[in-house]
Amino acid sequence: MDPGLFELYEAGSRQDEVSVIIRLEDENRIPPDVRVVSRFGKILTVRLVRPFAAMGPLPVPEDGAGVVVGVCDWGFDFTHPNFRHPDGTTRLRALWDQSAEGGETLMPYGYGRVYTREQINSALATADPTSTLGYAPSKSDPQGTGTHGTHVCDIAAGNRREPGSEVGLASASDIVFVHLARQRLQELENFGDSVRLLEGLDFVRRQAGESPLVAHFSAGMTGGPHDGTALFAQAVDAFVLERPGVVLVQSVGNYAASRMASHGRIGPDQKKVLHWLISPRDRTPNELEIWYNGQDQFDLTLIAPDGERFEAALGENVKLGRDDTRWGTLYHRHSEPNSGKNHIDIFLRTGSPPGRYRIELHGRDVVDGRFHAWIERDAGGRHQSHFSRRQATAKYTTNTICNSYRGIAVGAYDATAGDRPATRFSSRGPTADGRQKPELVAPGYRIRAARSLPADGWHGEQRLTTKSGTSMAAPFVTGTVALMLQAAGRPLSIVEVRRLLIGTADPPPVRPGHISRSLGYGYLNTVAAVEAARRLGREGSFEGRHTAAHEALGEASTQWAPRWIADLQPFEHDPAAANVMVGGNIMYVEQEPDEGADADGNEAAFDDEEDSLLAETTLWPEDDTGIDEADTAYDRPVHGDMSLQEEEEEEAYRLTELYHALGQLTERDLD
C-alpha cells in the first residue's frame, strides 16, 4: 500500500469513505467491499470504507470483578478512561516504575518507585496528573504511536469507557502494572531482563495477596535452551503451582519469519556448517547459541568473514581476534547445569567484522546428534543478523521465556480473514524438547485498543490505536482467564485452567490426529471457556464438559471471534526478514502453510524436510567465488558486483525503509 494512502487510512474514522486507485490482477474479478467509480482497463478508482467491526459484549455475565490482572510491560497510561472507574478514580492497585530514579526506592528490590492507589487518585484530581505523579507513559513511546503496555492492558482488562473502544474483557478487574526497566549493563544488559521480569512478577504477586491473579508478559528474546529448563522457566512453573488461582499468560513471540533459528542432526564423524550473516550496517553486538545433547561431543570451529579460523574444544573458551583487537568470545560449555546439554555461545562485540560467519560442527562422539541453534534478537538494531535462507526454520521459534511447562503461551491469528490463518510473524513450536507451544491462538492482527497519552497531550484525536503481534493476542487469553477465575467461584489450579482453555478451543484446520505448530491446540473460545469454568465450579468436574459447553451455547460459543480491519499491513517485528514482494504500490505478504504434526508431536511424513535442510552429511559445496550453491537458488538474479550477502542486506534495507515510511516498526523490546 502506498505510504501516503496508509497514513490517510490510519487517520480516518470508521465512517470515512476513502478514495483510492487500484490495479486488478484479473480484470474480471473486482474485490469485495469496494465501490467502483471509474475504470480504465485494469485501473479503477474506487471508494473503500474502513471495515472496523466492534466485538460487542460477550454473552457471559462475568466481568473480572475480584480478580487481579498483573501486567509487566512498558508504558501505562493511568489517565486513560478505560482504566478508571465511572467516578474517575483509578482501577490500579499499584504501579511500579522500575526505571524511576530518585525518591524513595522500593524494598526489597532496591530500585524504581511505586505509586499507590491513593497517590494515583490524588494525581488524577489535578490538572496535570502525569507531572503531579511523576510518571509519564510517553517515555516509552518514542514514535508517538502509543505505548505497548497501555494497548496490551486494554485488551485484557479495559472497560470501554473511551468512545469507540472494542476490546476489554476483564473490565471490572483490579490492575497492577509494572513498568519494566533493564539493568545498565551495556552489551550484557540482556541478563537484566529476566531478573527484572521475575521481580516484577513477585511484585504483582505481593499486591494481589490472596485474590485470584492472572499475570501477563508480552515480551521475550530468542536465545536459551527452549526446553523448560532455564531458570526463568523453572521460576514460572513454581509461581503458578504455589497456590490455586494463579495463572501466567505469555506471548509466544514474533519470530517465525525472522531467520533466527536453525536445527539439524549430526552423525559420527559428520560435519555441518551453519552460515551466520551479519550486515555491514549492523551497529549492535550479536550472539548465537547452539545447544546439543550432553552425551555428545562436537568439535567446534568458527570461521570469520576474512577466513581466520578459531577452534574451541568442549569445555574451552576462546577469544576472537588478536590481543590488541579482540572483537568477541567463543564459549563451548560442557553440560550446562540446568539442562545437562552442551552449550555453544558466540558473542560478537559491536564493531566485529561484518560478513558471513561459518560455524563448523564435527561429530566426534555422537549418541544423539541433534542440535538447535538460535540467534539472539537485537535490542533495537534495524539490521538483525540471521541464518542463510536455506538453513533458517520457522519451527522452534518460540521466545526465550515462554517455554515453561505450566505457563500458557499464545500465538496470533488473523481474525480479518474468514479462515482465521496464523499470522506469518507468530512464532511456531514445538519447544526444543518436543512440547506443544503455543497452547492456543487468539486475534493478533490489526487490534484496535487504547492509545496512551502523547508527550504533548491530546489534540482532539481519538484515544485508540491499532497494533499487531502476539503481544496483542496473548491479552485476549489473559482477560479470558480472569473471567474464568470469577466464573468458577473458587480458585482454579493451573492444571484446571489449561485443561479448560485447551478443551474448549475451536480445533485448528489440520488433518485428524495432528496438531498445528502455529495454531497449537486451536483458537481461543472465550465464551466456551468461561462457561466450562462455571460448570467446573458448580459441579466439580470438567470431564466431558467441553463438548457439552459447545452444544449448549451453539453459535454464540463456537463462532465468537472479533473481526478487525484488513489492509495488507506487514507484520511489525523484524521487517527486514519478512518474505514480502513489493510491486508498484501494492504490497503482498505471503502466508506460510502450516502442515502440523501428529498428536505425539512428530512431523507429518511429507513435511520432514520442509524447513530444515540440514540432513545432508555436508551442507552445501562451495564454488571458487565463495557463494554457496544453496544460496544461489533465490528467486532473483544477482545484480552487478554485489555479493549475495550485500544483496540480501540491500533488499532488507529497502524493505526496512519502506516499513519506516509506513510507520509500522514496533518498540524494540516487544513481541
Side-chain angles (χ1 to χ4, degrees):
M1 180 179 288
D2 181 86
L5 176 59
F6 189 89
E7 290 297 314
L8 176 65
Y9 209 67
E10 285 283 88
S13 71
R14 75 178 64 188
Q15 292 81 23
D16 288 343
E17 195 174 54
V18 184
S19 302
V20 299
I21 302 174
I22 66 173
R23 176 176 58 84
L24 298 177
E25 282 293 321
D26 182 347
E27 59 183 334
N28 296 316
R29 295 181 61 187
I30 297 176
D33 302 322
V34 302
R35 180 166 63 88
V36 178
V37 176
S38 64
R39 181 166 184 168
F40 305 87
K42 291 186 176 183
I43 308 301
L44 287 69
T45 69
V46 303
R47 303 294 186 265
L48 299 175
V49 178
R50 296 166 55 94
F52 278 110
M55 183 174 72
L58 292 174
V60 296
E62 287 77 16
D63 56 10
V67 179
V68 174
V69 174
V71 177
C72 298
D73 212 299
W74 291 266
F76 182 74
D77 185 2
F78 67 95
T79 71
H80 199 284
N82 288 358
F83 308 119
R84 299 167 71 172
H85 296 294
D87 63 0
T89 58
T90 187
R91 293 173 54 205
L92 281 163
R93 286 195 180 187
L95 188 160
W96 178 21
D97 181 6
Q98 292 185 344
S99 68
E101 299 178 357
E104 184 178 353
T105 59
L106 178 66
M107 297 302 291
Y109 312 110
Y111 59 93
R113 184 177 177 185
V114 171
Y115 304 99
T116 65
R117 187 196 300 268
E118 292 72 25
Q119 290 172 318
I120 295 168
N121 281 332
S122 295
L124 288 172
T126 68
D128 188 356
T130 58
S131 296
T132 302
L133 191 64
Y135 174 81
S138 58
K139 67 180 180 180
S140 292
D141 187 20
Q143 297 178 348
T145 59
T147 63
H148 187 267
T150 298
H151 200 269
V152 165
C153 201
D154 189 35
I155 297 168
N159 61 16
R160 309 191 192 192
R161 294 185 66 232
E162 174 66 22
S165 294
E166 299 163 346
V167 295
L169 280 80
S171 58
S173 62
D174 284 353
I175 301 169
V176 177
F177 191 89
V178 177
H179 181 114
L180 296 166
R182 292 182 170 190
Q183 297 182 31
R184 304 301 181 188
L185 299 177
Q186 299 180 355
E187 292 187 0
L188 297 179
E189 64 182 355
N190 290 347
F191 285 112
D193 287 349
S194 294
V195 173
R196 299 285 172 110
L197 275 170
L198 285 182
E199 291 178 356
L201 197 61
D202 178 66
F203 177 78
V204 167
R205 173 175 58 183
R206 291 170 185 252
Q207 294 297 316
E210 296 302 314
S211 300
L213 168 64
V214 191
H216 180 97
F217 292 156
S218 277
M221 302 293 277
T222 50
H226 291 67
D227 61 3
T229 63
L231 293 180
F232 188 96
Q234 293 184 48
V236 166
D237 286 333
F239 170 76
V240 298
L241 288 170
E242 67 182 14
R243 71 172 175 89
V246 175
V247 179
L248 177 64
V249 177
Q250 300 171 262
S251 58
V252 77
N254 298 333
Y255 310 118
S258 66
R259 292 169 59 186
M260 293 191 290
S262 189
H263 64 97
R265 192 165 202 161
I266 298 175
D269 205 33
Q270 290 184 341
K271 183 174 73 173
K272 300 287 193 260
V273 182
L274 291 174
H275 298 256
W276 183 16
L277 307 180
I278 299 178
S279 168
R281 298 187 183 93
D282 191 342
R283 300 294 183 264
T284 67
N286 288 285
E287 179 186 4
L288 183 149
E289 296 183 55
I290 302 171
W291 297 78
Y292 68 96
N293 191 291
Q295 300 298 315
D296 291 340
Q297 183 178 346
F298 294 171
D299 289 336
L300 169 66
T301 302
L302 175 69
I303 305 173
D306 63 0
E308 187 172 7
R309 300 173 67 92
F310 302 90
E311 296 182 355
L314 187 60
E316 281 191 329
N317 302 332
V318 175
K319 296 179 180 179
L320 303 178
R322 298 176 178 85
D323 290 339
D324 56 341
T325 58
R326 182 182 175 189
W327 42 262
T329 308
L330 175 60
Y331 297 88
H332 196 174
R333 303 170 67 194
H334 179 258
S335 190
E336 188 271 336
N338 295 298
S339 66
K341 295 179 180 178
N342 295 332
H343 179 208
I344 296 168
D345 208 346
I346 305 171
F347 286 95
L348 302 182
R349 297 180 177 181
T350 302
S352 60
R356 182 187 299 272
Y357 287 80
R358 303 168 193 267
I359 300 98
E360 291 186 353
L361 304 174
H362 182 226
R364 175 177 292 275
D365 180 15
V366 177
V367 297
D368 183 306
R370 287 173 294 183
F371 68 87
H372 289 87
W374 291 280
I375 295 169
E376 187 54 88
R377 168 185 174 179
D378 281 348
R382 290 170 50 193
H383 304 284
Q384 172 71 53
S385 66
H386 53 269
F387 290 111
S388 64
R389 193 180 304 271
R390 292 288 301 277
Q391 291 184 319
T393 177
K395 295 188 294 187
Y396 308 105
T397 52
T398 55
N399 77 45
T400 302
I401 64 174
C402 78
N403 295 298
S404 65
Y405 291 103
R406 301 295 186 181
I408 299 168
V410 183
Y413 73 86
D414 180 0
T416 70
D419 56 350
R420 298 191 290 180
T423 60
R424 180 171 177 78
F425 54 77
S426 186
S427 290
R428 270 64 165 163
T431 62
D433 58 327
R435 290 176 290 115
Q436 176 63 48
K437 294 284 180 176
E439 274 84 2
L440 71 167
V441 290
Y445 179 68
R446 302 290 294 149
I447 306 302
R448 194 165 182 256
R451 177 187 174 188
S452 60
L453 176 70
D456 60 349
W458 298 110
H459 300 283
E461 65 269 44
Q462 196 172 37
R463 302 181 186 188
L464 301 168
T465 190
T466 303
K467 296 180 184 290
S468 297
T470 57
S471 286
M472 285 64 251
F476 279 102
V477 177
T478 298
T480 297
V481 172
L483 302 183
M484 292 166 63
L485 294 177
Q486 179 188 7
R490 66 166 177 83
L492 297 177
S493 71
I494 186 62
V495 174
E496 291 172 317
V497 170
R498 286 171 56 87
R499 291 179 66 198
L500 291 169
L501 281 172
I502 293 171
T504 59
D506 295 340
V510 295
R511 296 184 301 171
H514 286 67
I515 54 178
S516 170
R517 291 194 302 269
S518 57
L519 299 173
Y521 294 105
Y523 304 92
L524 170 69
N525 191 319
T526 293
V527 175
V530 174
E531 172 63 17
R534 190 181 303 114
R535 289 175 179 271
L536 179 62
R538 181 172 65 242
E539 301 177 15
S541 174
F542 177 59
E543 296 297 336
R545 291 298 181 183
H546 56 293
T547 302
H550 281 280
E551 293 172 351
L553 290 168
E555 292 298 308
S557 168
T558 58
Q559 299 300 319
W560 179 82
R563 297 188 60 80
W564 312 95
I565 188 168
D567 65 357
L568 298 179
Q569 177 195 8
F571 69 88
E572 293 190 289
H573 172 71
D574 191 21
N579 191 5
V580 178
M581 300 175 290
V582 180
N585 291 329
I586 301 177
M587 179 177 293
Y588 307 91
V589 180
E590 295 184 352
Q591 289 291 335
E592 179 183 65
D594 181 62
E595 304 294 354
D598 64 27
D600 296 323
N602 301 311
E603 299 297 330
F606 55 84
D607 193 40
D608 285 342
E609 305 300 328
E610 178 190 33
D611 54 9
S612 177
L613 300 183
L614 303 183
E616 301 294 332
T617 300
T618 302
L619 273 177
W620 345 108
E622 296 177 5
D623 58 24
D624 293 336
T625 66
I627 297 178
D628 297 337
E629 291 179 357
D631 283 341
T632 62
Y634 285 55
D635 189 22
R636 54 184 171 79
V638 175
H639 300 292
D641 295 327
M642 294 177 66
S643 69
L644 173 66
Q645 182 184 345
E646 290 170 336
E647 189 186 10
E648 280 187 322
E649 298 302 337
E650 184 63 26
E651 179 188 36
Y653 179 76
R654 290 195 302 268
L655 288 173
T656 304
E657 290 298 308
L658 174 61
Y659 288 7
H660 271 292
L662 291 174
Q664 295 307 308
L665 294 183
T666 57
E667 194 167 336
R668 66 185 185 181
D669 286 322
L670 311 178
D671 279 344

